[in-house]
Amino acid sequence: MNTYASMRFIDIFLLLISSAGLLHGITFAIYLTFFKKKKSTTNYLLSLILLIMAFRIGKSVMLNFGDNLEPLFIFSGLTLLLLIGPLLRWYAKGMTTTDFKFSSYSFIEIIPFITIFVISFFVPENVFETNQQNVIILFSSILIFCYLHLITYIFIVSISTKKLKKKNLNQTKSQRTIFEWLRLLIIGFIIIWISYVSNIVDNSIPYIIGPILYSFVIYFLSFKAYQLKIIDIDGNVFKTNNGSQLFSKISSLIIDEKLYLDSTFSLASLSKLIGESTQKSSQIINEYAKQNFNDFINYHRIEEAKKLLVNQSNEKYTISSIAFDSGFSSLSSFNSAFKKFQGTTPSLYRKKGV
């Protein structure tokens, strides 16, 4: 009795763990599709990958804990592997290509999926009850083909991403982020692929290992997606010259026109002037100035303050006056920024007459 209860507890525990990743993947996909403000082809592709993987994992969970599943359901879950590969390649392409669009030949890549998916509707309900050699050979062939198809696509995506990374030696922060994300995504798919193939090669490895590993992988990738802010960027970060031109425009406004002297000047103000979102403006400054907006503005304010501090004609002015004339709204923020960039206080800097 205790053994039976223990086994039931273990089964429930494994079911919860394996189902957690499935539900998380579906939730993430729904968020990308319906609730993410920035709509993009890459986010739609990622949500499709998550939903298909969720169905595939759901099939595995039901197959492990359920009985007498419909052959159509089993074959559908298996054939979806033939769709994941192309989706993964399109997603990687969209994340590394400016203004990504599907080619007129893209549909060719899903012909294997359509073919075997249609065939699955003609599979007899008692197919798994027979020991006919031709049925076993057919099913085994489809199984092997599906997994080889997926690993081939994973290999193609890995190679093409590495080549592109080598080609782009001077990468921006966003470009490095995309390459890092794709690397992690590829590793995640390889782990899941190995877990399922291991069960096929060695039947002693539990089938439920696949869904459990998927749960860990999907939670890790979700965390990294949030950390890297990957759903906010796509292949458009690879646009040539557009970023540098926009940064030149920002520099001209802030430095040449001395907008940094306005204490009320903000990231929102700058974005309105250049006709871009605050996110885009912040991204450009981060990539090209290697500073965030506040540090970029304060750096030029401090440079202005340094000139005023060492100018003998300004000796009659207080530190506070110079702080306000340099664009700072308070003396405390001026002192903090000055210390950060110069390593000393404004008063000592003035005394030394550097």
Side-chain angles (χ1 to χ4, degrees):
M1 183 71 178
N2 289 335
T3 303
Y4 176 74
S6 174
M7 288 299 294
R8 280 193 55 119
F9 173 77
I10 291 172
D11 285 345
I12 293 171
F13 179 70
L14 292 176
L15 179 62
L16 288 173
I17 292 178
S18 55
S19 300
L22 184 155
L23 295 173
H24 182 78
I26 293 174
T27 304
F28 193 14
I30 292 172
Y31 169 74
L32 290 175
T33 306
F34 300 105
F35 299 101
K36 184 73 177 73
K37 289 183 179 180
K38 181 185 177 182
K39 307 297 181 183
S40 66
T41 302
T42 50
N43 281 343
Y44 286 134
L45 286 171
L46 182 58
S47 66
L48 269 175
I49 292 171
L50 289 169
L51 287 173
I52 291 172
M53 284 299 295
F55 183 86
R56 178 74 184 84
I57 298 302
K59 189 269 308 183
S60 299
V61 172
M62 293 180 69
L63 191 62
N64 188 82
F65 293 103
D67 295 315
N68 301 320
L69 294 183
E70 289 290 330
L72 176 61
F73 183 73
I74 295 173
F75 268 92
S76 298
L78 179 62
T79 54
L80 282 175
L81 287 174
L82 299 174
L83 199 55
I84 294 171
L87 286 172
L88 180 62
R89 193 187 76 80
W90 297 338
Y91 175 73
K93 190 76 174 174
M95 291 298 286
T96 54
T97 305
T98 302
D99 298 323
F100 168 74
K101 292 180 181 178
F102 293 101
S103 70
S104 56
Y105 301 102
S106 294
F107 77 94
I108 294 176
E109 295 185 64
I110 62 173
I111 289 177
F113 162 73
I114 294 172
T115 303
I116 298 182
F117 185 73
V118 170
I119 291 173
S120 67
F121 282 92
F122 299 95
V123 175
E125 290 188 6
N126 63 341
V127 66
F128 295 114
E129 296 174 9
T130 178
N131 289 322
Q132 293 181 17
Q133 189 176 4
N134 59 340
V135 174
I136 295 172
I137 293 173
L138 177 63
F139 180 75
S140 300
S141 300
I142 293 174
L143 186 69
I144 293 169
F145 175 72
C146 288
Y147 280 104
L148 286 178
H149 182 274
L150 178 57
I151 196 63
T152 299
Y153 266 95
I154 293 172
F155 180 75
I156 290 170
V157 171
S158 178
I159 294 299
S160 59
T161 303
K162 286 179 180 178
K163 284 183 178 179
L164 186 60
K165 187 177 180 180
K166 288 181 179 179
K167 186 179 178 181
N168 289 268
L169 296 176
N170 299 317
Q171 298 163 17
T172 64
K173 182 180 178 182
S174 293
Q175 289 170 354
R176 288 194 300 272
T177 297
I178 286 176
F179 284 127
E180 174 62 12
W181 165 250
L182 290 177
R183 185 183 71 85
L184 294 172
L185 190 64
I186 290 166
I187 291 172
F189 269 101
I190 290 173
I191 290 172
I192 295 169
W193 185 88
I194 290 174
S195 68
Y196 276 100
V197 172
S198 297
N199 171 258
I200 297 171
V201 175
D202 186 356
N203 199 42
S204 64
I205 297 175
Y207 188 65
I208 195 63
I209 290 295
I212 291 174
L213 280 176
Y214 171 79
S215 293
F216 285 108
V217 168
I218 194 63
Y219 273 108
F220 174 75
L221 289 177
S222 298
F223 168 73
K224 294 304 293 186
Y226 171 78
Q227 188 182 55
L228 297 172
K229 294 181 173 58
I230 200 66
I231 59 176
D232 295 325
I233 56 178
D234 55 23
N236 287 320
V237 302
F238 287 88
K239 279 185 178 178
T240 55
N241 297 324
N242 183 56
S244 59
Q245 289 175 4
L246 188 55
F247 182 68
S248 296
K249 187 177 181 180
I250 291 172
S251 298
S252 177
L253 285 169
I254 293 176
I255 302 170
D256 299 342
E257 298 185 26
K258 295 193 172 184
L259 291 180
Y260 60 83
L261 295 178
D262 181 0
S263 61
T264 62
F265 189 67
S266 64
L267 182 60
S269 306
L270 171 65
S271 301
K272 191 174 181 180
L273 285 173
I274 63 175
E276 295 286 350
S277 65
T278 54
Q279 179 187 345
K280 180 67 175 179
S281 302
S282 177
Q283 173 194 321
I284 292 297
I285 293 172
N286 269 278
E287 289 179 3
Y288 289 90
K290 307 301 180 186
Q291 295 173 308
N292 60 38
F293 173 78
N294 288 332
D295 283 347
F296 183 63
I297 290 290
N298 286 341
Y299 171 78
H300 293 290
R301 286 172 175 168
I302 295 301
E303 290 299 304
E304 182 72 20
K306 284 162 62 180
K307 295 174 186 177
L308 296 175
L309 286 168
V310 297
N311 191 328
Q312 292 183 354
S313 62
N314 293 324
E315 288 182 355
K316 59 184 177 181
Y317 296 112
T318 63
I319 297 294
S320 295
S321 178
I322 288 175
F324 296 132
D325 288 343
S326 301
F328 287 93
S329 58
S330 69
L331 181 59
S332 60
S333 61
F334 172 62
N335 286 330
S336 297
F338 202 97
K339 181 78 173 178
K340 179 178 181 178
F341 288 104
Q342 296 303 127
T344 186
T345 63
S347 300
L348 290 174
Y349 186 87
R350 171 182 258 180
K351 286 179 182 178
K352 291 178 181 178
V354 178

